[in-house]
Each structure stands twice: as C-alpha cells, then as structure tokens.
Amino acid sequence: MDTRKMIVLCVAVLALAAFGMGSGGYKDKEPQPASGGETMTMKGMPLPEAQAFWNYIARENPYEKWGMFPGYTGMYEGQSPHGAYLKLYANEKAVMAAEKGEPMPPGAILVKENYAKDQKTLMAITPMYKVPGYNPDGGNWFWAKYKPDGTVDASGKVNSCIQCHTPQKDYIFSKPK
C-alpha cells in the first residue's frame, strides 16, 4: 500500500473513532455528566422518549420478567388515577434501592399495571424512569402512560404525574413493606 492510501486509511479510522460512528449509539455510551439540564446517557438504558422506552420495557428487557417492588407481590388494591387493582414491577436497581431504603438511583424503573375492578382487564401501563438531568424540577423522572398494546397516552414531564407524586419522598407512593 502506498503512503497516500495509508494516510487516507488512517484519517478515515481516526474520523470514525472521533465521531463515534462505530459506537452502536446511545445504549453503548458510558455515563456522561449532565450539565445545563441535559439528560445523562446511561449504558444499556433507553432514551427518555415514549417509543424507545416502550421498546425497552416491552421487548428488549420485558418488565414482566423483573421482580416486584418489595412488599407488593402479586395484585393489590389501587386507587384513582390508576386502576382498581395494580401490579408493581421494578428493575433490579429499583429493587435494591428500595430494600436498602435509599432513593431511587439513575436507571431505576417502576412499572405499574393498572387493572379494572374485574382484576383481569389491563387498562394501562404506567412506568416511571429515573434519568439524571432529565427534569430536576420533577425528581428527574420520565413518566409515561401506555395502553396495553403500547400506544402512548402520555409521556415525558407529565404535569399530572409530577403534581400528584411531588409530596412523596422521591416521588414514590409505594413504600417497601
């Protein structure tokens, strides 16, 4: 290979490395500090965006395979605005923090299934996802409400969720039992 081709090849490789074109995107990036209200990336975690988040909890890392929030195994009675009956799933980060009585760490996810009075009809799926720098005024939680088929009813910095949950420690009503 002549010198000119070698230089072009080296420049191309350096450009790819500098611009992260081979990095695999958001999910493979190491955490970066948040500044100016920017969302911190977290390795292996979805963007705080309705469709990306649904794909993560429904397909890539199905929440039904996670543990239940400590003390909330199975179905339990709920109240408005959620269903008459609920199931509360939590990813490993959330379970570990709850068991230790600590605030939810970055990457913690709680997923609530909201059921009708018949305890069989799933009405909605309402998750909370802790994302550093996402919304400091709302505890850095990304909120969503999905229909059982994944159709988005609400997502993001949902005011009704934030206002209701604000009085609670770390915005969580459920306390480990």
Side-chain angles (χ1 to χ4, degrees), residues 96-118:
M96 288 176 59
E99 287 174 344
K100 294 176 183 177
E102 297 175 350
M104 292 292 117
I109 302 173
L110 304 176
V111 178
K112 189 173 285 183
E113 290 183 336
N114 304 250
Y115 288 87
K117 288 181 183 180
D118 67 8

Side-chain angles (χ1 to χ4, degrees), residues 1-9:
M1 182 178 286
D2 68 17
T3 305
R4 186 172 183 215
K5 286 182 181 177
M6 181 73 85
I7 291 171
V8 169
L9 179 62

Side-chain angles (χ1 to χ4, degrees), residues 63-70 88-92 95 109 111:
Y63 71 87
E64 297 98 332
K65 293 183 179 180
W66 303 349
M68 304 298 275
F69 192 80
L88 182 57
Y89 297 88
N91 69 355
E92 186 176 347
V95 169
I109 302 173
V111 178

Side-chain angles (χ1 to χ4, degrees), residues 16-170:
L16 285 172
F19 292 107
M21 301 221 18
S23 71
Y26 179 80
K27 288 185 168 193
D28 294 332
K29 294 180 183 175
E30 291 297 329
Q32 300 296 316
S35 63
E38 296 173 9
T39 301
M40 181 191 298
T41 61
M42 295 176 290
K43 187 174 183 176
M45 299 303 291
L47 288 167
E49 182 276 320
Q51 195 57 55
F53 187 67
W54 177 257
N55 288 339
Y56 180 80
I57 66 169
R59 294 180 185 89
E60 295 174 34
N61 189 3
Y63 71 87
E64 297 98 332
K65 293 183 179 180
W66 303 349
M68 304 298 275
F69 192 80
Y72 291 83
T73 56
M75 193 172 286
Y76 62 96
E77 285 189 50
Q79 60 186 14
S80 181
H82 296 284
Y85 290 91
L86 308 169
K87 287 184 182 178
L88 182 57
Y89 297 88
N91 69 355
E92 186 176 347
K93 288 182 179 191
V95 169
M96 288 176 59
E99 287 174 344
K100 294 176 183 177
E102 297 175 350
M104 292 292 117
I109 302 173
L110 304 176
V111 178
K112 189 173 285 183
E113 290 183 336
N114 304 250
Y115 288 87
K117 288 181 183 180
D118 67 8
Q119 299 185 25
K120 295 177 185 173
T121 306
L122 179 60
M123 306 296 290
I125 299 166
T126 52
M128 300 170 61
Y129 171 33
K130 189 83 167 245
V131 183
Y134 176 72
N135 182 16
D137 293 335
N140 285 322
W141 289 102
F142 166 82
W143 308 85
K145 180 179 180 183
Y146 300 98
K147 293 181 181 173
D149 68 359
T151 302
V152 180
D153 275 343
S155 71
K157 300 171 186 175
V158 182
N159 285 331
S160 59
C161 298
I162 295 167
Q163 289 173 356
C164 185
H165 284 251
T166 294
Q168 302 304 312
K169 182 180 177 188
D170 202 18

